[in-house]
Amino acid sequence: MNKTVIIFLLTGCILSLSACTPESPPLEPPSRPESAVSSVSDTVSENESDVSVTSQMSDASVSSVSESKQDSSEKESSVSEISKTIEGSPEASTASGTSEGEPPLYSWDSRKGKLVEIKFRYMGEAESDYFMTDDEGMLTKLTAALNGINVTGESDKRYTDRGIILLYTQENGTGRLDFEHGGLLVEGTRYEVEGYQALADVLEEIKEAYPEWSKKYDEWIHRMSVVENRIQEITTSDAYENGDTEKKRELVMPVLKELEKEGYIKEGSIYDYGESITYSTTDGVSSGIMLKGFDPMIN
């Protein structure tokens, strides 16, 4: 090989080695296109939006579940109140906001006060007269029996051989109960009940005691009639109608004193108020006589 070729090869090797020395500046990294940066930013923004939407949906879902539970709770409360109202208890009336509400199916309502009088009769092939009583002991027993009546359900059975009509008076109301062979009749529909036998036993007891009660009642009516007739005889006379206040007093007072002496008017119950005289019978009935007529100009 000649010297010229060797020198050429050595020169090429030296040039090649100098290009790979540490002093050579590093290559710059390729720059990211602006469009790519915008795309990544948009993606991040969209992801954040998705997260926000997902969060809102989650909140809505939680709210919906909460409202659903609340609605369910309100429905259960409503059903409970209706159930209480059906039972006809005083608490039910207060809870449902219907203090004047009536129990269903039958009209007995202890909230109207205690019984003051009842009468009943038996219906069927042989109808009876009405049996009555205002005896406090009997009425207490009857009240307990009425409170024990419980309607268990509608019945398709009907009977015509036995029935009871019960009429009663309470302190703040009146009512009627129709029973047919141990069931309760309401507008042509028969209902099975619990507690009827206890009621029937009390009514039978009242029936057995009725003659004695009736005798006392007749005596009471007689006493009331004596007082009424004697006073009416004076107050309808011409002398009373044409007399002034003092004249009317002179005519009435002797009659009242005589009735007091005979035991029809309670002793010491006669009071003279000037324009009227009041009194009480021995049975506790208060009454009075006007000596001066009402002024039509005064309400």
Side-chain angles (χ1 to χ4, degrees):
M1 181 179 298
N2 57 30
K3 294 181 180 179
T4 304
V5 173
I6 292 171
I7 293 170
F8 180 77
L9 290 173
L10 290 172
T11 303
C13 288
I14 292 170
L15 292 173
S16 176
L17 290 172
S18 65
C20 296
T21 59
E23 286 77 8
S24 300
L27 297 175
E28 295 182 2
S31 60
R32 185 171 58 181
E34 292 182 1
S35 60
V37 174
S38 175
S39 176
V40 171
S41 176
D42 292 343
T43 301
V44 172
S45 176
E46 290 176 359
N47 289 340
E48 292 177 349
S49 177
D50 290 342
V51 170
S52 176
V53 171
T54 303
S55 176
Q56 293 177 3
M57 292 177 63
S58 176
D59 292 341
S61 176
V62 171
S63 176
S64 176
V65 170
S66 177
E67 291 177 358
S68 176
K69 288 182 178 180
Q70 184 178 355
D71 292 342
S72 176
S73 176
E74 290 177 352
K75 288 180 180 179
E76 290 177 0
S77 176
S78 178
V79 170
S80 176
E81 296 303 332
I82 292 173
S83 177
K84 288 181 180 179
T85 304
I86 290 176
E87 292 173 3
S89 64
E91 293 80 4
S93 176
T94 302
S96 61
T98 54
S99 60
E100 299 301 324
E102 296 291 339
L105 303 184
Y106 64 102
S107 59
W108 165 251
D109 185 356
S110 60
R111 291 170 293 179
K112 291 183 178 179
K114 70 176 185 178
L115 284 175
V116 295
E117 185 179 78
I118 66 103
K119 65 178 182 177
F120 69 95
R121 67 171 174 164
Y122 294 99
M123 304 294 293
E125 295 180 1
E127 297 183 1
S128 72
D129 292 330
Y130 274 105
F131 299 99
M132 312 176 200
T133 189
D134 59 358
D135 181 79
E136 188 172 350
M138 290 292 187
L139 294 178
T140 298
K141 292 181 180 180
L142 187 61
T143 298
L146 287 171
N147 287 334
I149 292 292
N150 179 39
V151 177
T152 58
E154 186 175 335
S155 174
D156 58 357
K157 298 178 181 179
R158 293 301 305 268
Y159 302 88
T160 57
D161 61 336
R162 186 180 178 185
I164 293 178
I165 295 177
L166 172 62
L167 307 176
Y168 59 86
T169 301
Q170 295 173 261
E171 290 176 324
N172 301 307
T174 60
R176 168 176 173 159
L177 298 174
D178 290 1
F179 293 96
E180 181 185 80
H181 203 76
L184 186 67
L185 287 181
V186 182
E187 297 181 353
T189 301
R190 183 177 180 275
Y191 296 87
E192 297 292 349
V193 299
E194 294 176 346
Y196 173 78
Q197 190 56 51
L199 175 64
D201 292 343
V202 176
L203 294 180
E204 188 66 21
E205 187 176 354
I206 292 174
K207 173 186 173 184
E208 295 298 325
Y210 175 70
E212 184 64 25
W213 178 88
S214 179
K215 180 180 178 181
K216 292 180 180 179
Y217 183 78
D218 290 343
E219 291 174 353
W220 177 78
I221 291 296
H222 169 70
R223 291 192 296 272
M224 292 296 297
S225 297
V226 170
V227 175
E228 182 180 353
N229 291 338
R230 297 268 287 276
I231 292 177
Q232 187 175 16
E233 183 179 353
I234 295 299
T235 57
T236 57
S237 65
D238 291 339
Y240 184 89
E241 291 181 351
N242 296 325
D244 56 15
T245 300
E246 187 58 35
K247 180 63 177 180
K248 291 178 179 179
R249 178 180 291 102
E250 292 176 359
L251 293 172
V252 168
M253 191 61 77
V255 176
L256 294 177
K257 290 294 184 179
E258 185 178 357
L259 290 169
E260 180 184 36
K261 184 178 180 180
E262 294 175 1
Y264 291 104
I265 289 180
K266 185 177 180 180
E267 186 177 356
S269 67
I270 301 174
Y271 293 97
D272 187 348
Y273 290 97
E275 295 183 354
S276 66
I277 299 175
T278 63
Y279 62 91
S280 297
T281 67
T282 52
D283 296 291
V285 179
S286 298
S287 189
I289 302 171
M290 294 299 300
L291 300 179
K292 184 177 181 181
F294 291 104
D295 188 342
M297 300 300 293
I298 300 176
N299 187 355

